[in-house]
Amino acid sequence: QVQLVESGGGSVQAGGSLRLSCAASVSAYNTYCMGWFRQAPGKEREGVALIDAYRRTSYDDSVKGRFTISRENDKNIAYLQMNSLKPEDTAMYYCVAGPRRCGFEGSYNYWGQGTQVTVSS
């Protein structure tokens, strides 16, 4: 059974930083691609950042230059460093993992339980 355990969410003021972590207790095959999606109340879910096993990354335009995704392959952990946070970044953030090529339009078999990020102005 795949498990993705997220941590690091919380409340910060605009301009602040948070670091999310996602630990996967699965085989490396199933974490070829790891990343983060988010969903704010009343809005559709959107992709934030993805990283593959070769550490190639993809970012949504809204977070480029502010967020950095990284991973430790030997530990099956992915991180999302979020700097210069804005109120519009407020959302539930979900870790995802899957064996296929990364893509925001792709489907992911494995999802974490979500961690809340709240940014106040």
Side-chain angles (χ1 to χ4, degrees), residues 10-16 18 85-91 117-121:
S11 297
V12 295
Q13 290 189 328
L18 285 173
L85 282 160
K86 303 175 181 180
E88 50 264 43
D89 294 317
T90 295
V117 171
T118 302
V119 185
S120 58
S121 57

Side-chain angles (χ1 to χ4, degrees), residues 19-114:
R19 188 194 196 202
L20 306 184
S21 299
C22 174
S25 57
V26 294
S27 66
Y29 171 80
N30 284 308
T31 57
Y32 175 80
C33 181
M34 296 184 74
W36 301 87
F37 281 68
R38 67 185 180 186
Q39 188 166 21
K43 295 187 177 181
E44 292 188 356
R45 187 174 62 203
E46 61 180 1
V48 177
L50 300 170
I51 185 169
D52 70 15
Y54 296 97
R55 295 186 173 84
R56 292 174 295 203
T57 59
S58 301
Y59 295 95
D60 183 76
D61 287 345
S62 66
V63 305
K64 283 181 180 177
R66 300 188 298 119
F67 291 11
T68 302
I69 190 170
S70 60
R71 63 186 289 168
E72 294 184 73
N73 286 343
D74 57 341
K75 298 180 181 178
N76 255 359
I77 298 176
Y79 304 97
L80 186 66
Q81 178 66 43
M82 304 185 293
N83 298 329
S84 302
L85 282 160
K86 303 175 181 180
E88 50 264 43
D89 294 317
T90 295
M92 185 71 78
Y93 284 69
Y94 297 92
C95 178
V96 300
R100 292 178 291 275
R101 179 180 178 181
C102 286
F104 289 125
E105 300 304 318
S107 61
Y108 291 89
N109 294 2
Y110 312 117
W111 292 75
Q113 79 284 358

